[in-house]
Amino acid sequence: MYANQKILLIAPACNEGAKISRVVQRTPWNIVDRFLVVDDGSTDDTARVARDAGAQVLTLPATRGVGNAIRLGYRHGRDEGFDIAVVIAGNGKDDPREISRLLDPLCKQNADFAMGSRFLERDATFGHMPMYRRLATRLHPWLISNFCGKRITESTNGFRAIRLPVLDDERIRLEAAWLDRYELEVYLLMRVLQLGYRHVEVPVSKIYPSAEQGQSKMRPGTDWWRMLRPVFLVGLRMRS
């Protein structure tokens, strides 16, 4: 329990056997009631390593995508009576010690959705973050800000927290099949903004490892298009 709220931490993970253990071990268990790793069809030992480290694991028989994994995590949280769900990267790019930064606005300031932003602190560093991603992660929130009428600094960071009752709103259609991959996170952010839920940003860090350590599985062309698609579909009210 944190501030009398039942907290679920969700980590979508695909072939993160070398990294997921450290994520689980660094989790502040005095804040998090359950750590759910959604194993998205891994072919390595992700599920075993996560379970041995202390997480509960939901294993999928085949890879469906990060959006589907997060959706299943949210569904688990609602079914199990959790109040708030926090999503964290399963590859160690987010710092579990910063979870309270996301929770405080929801638990103490009556916010509905908290987004971690890499751009709120002037001395933010991004390690080995590729240049194309630095540019894209600034353009993306600018587009959403213009479509949704609220200035935001961050839109592609998966480190976020939401009050689960928000997902009971029938105007938020997370079950749509087109949200299985990188679209879901962008879609949810835009619907929260469009529907007037209380959204805040908090400063968080993001660690980009060297190429030798293994960087993101995101493909620059296909997957960045998946993150852009909901900006225009939802922004132009072609999807809701």
Side-chain angles (χ1 to χ4, degrees), residues 19 91 93 208-216:
K19 300 175 182 177
N91 58 9
K93 288 182 179 177
Y208 280 83
S210 65
E212 292 77 14
Q213 293 172 303
Q215 294 189 352
S216 173

Side-chain angles (χ1 to χ4, degrees), residues 2-223:
Y2 185 75
N4 294 317
Q5 300 293 295
K6 192 176 178 183
I7 310 299
L8 174 68
L9 182 61
I10 303 167
C14 182
N15 294 330
E16 299 294 355
K19 300 175 182 177
I20 191 65
S21 177
R22 179 164 169 76
V23 179
V24 179
Q25 291 170 354
R26 296 175 73 198
T27 296
W29 290 99
N30 60 321
I31 293 176
V32 172
D33 294 285
R34 182 179 301 171
F35 192 157
L36 177 70
V37 172
V38 183
D39 174 21
D40 190 22
S42 296
T43 56
D44 69 356
D45 59 353
T46 294
R48 179 189 61 78
V49 170
R51 194 175 290 110
D52 289 349
Q56 181 171 331
V57 179
L58 172 61
T59 299
L60 306 183
T63 302
R64 286 278 305 277
V66 64
N68 179 66
I70 292 171
R71 178 196 292 134
L72 292 174
Y74 285 151
R75 187 184 300 165
H76 176 90
R78 295 161 79 188
D79 290 345
E80 294 291 317
F82 286 88
D83 300 299
I84 294 171
V86 179
V87 177
I88 193 169
N91 58 9
K93 288 182 179 177
D94 300 318
D95 188 345
R97 295 171 298 182
E98 296 176 348
I99 290 172
S100 61
R101 298 187 187 185
L102 294 167
L103 292 176
D104 283 346
L106 277 65
C107 296
K108 301 177 182 180
Q109 301 169 25
N110 211 31
D112 297 303
F113 186 95
M115 183 86 173
S117 175
R118 294 161 279 190
F119 305 110
L120 291 178
E121 294 183 339
R122 291 185 179 181
D123 59 347
T125 59
F126 306 101
H128 298 274
M129 184 180 190
M131 182 55 68
Y132 79 88
R133 293 195 70 174
R134 296 191 191 194
L135 296 173
T137 52
R138 300 317 300 265
L139 174 62
H140 200 271
W142 180 83
L143 289 170
I144 291 179
S145 296
N146 281 275
F147 276 123
C148 295
K150 178 178 179 179
R151 183 183 178 277
I152 61 174
T153 67
E154 179 71 271
S155 58
T156 59
N157 194 346
F159 198 21
R160 51 180 66 189
I162 188 170
R163 287 187 180 278
L164 286 171
V166 170
L167 301 181
D168 293 331
D169 189 329
E170 295 181 354
R171 297 170 296 177
I172 298 176
R173 300 184 174 95
L174 285 192
E175 298 300 323
W178 72 282
L179 301 176
D180 277 357
R181 297 187 182 273
Y182 289 101
E183 296 91 346
L184 183 139
E185 293 167 287
V186 179
Y187 168 86
L188 180 56
L189 170 63
M190 293 188 72
R191 292 305 284 153
V192 164
L193 294 173
Q194 288 176 336
L195 295 172
Y197 284 102
R198 291 157 294 190
H199 162 277
V200 298
E201 292 184 336
V202 299
V204 296
S205 57
K206 183 73 77 171
I207 306 301
Y208 280 83
S210 65
E212 292 77 14
Q213 293 172 303
Q215 294 189 352
S216 173
K217 296 181 177 67
M218 184 179 292
R219 296 165 294 181
T222 304
D223 290 333

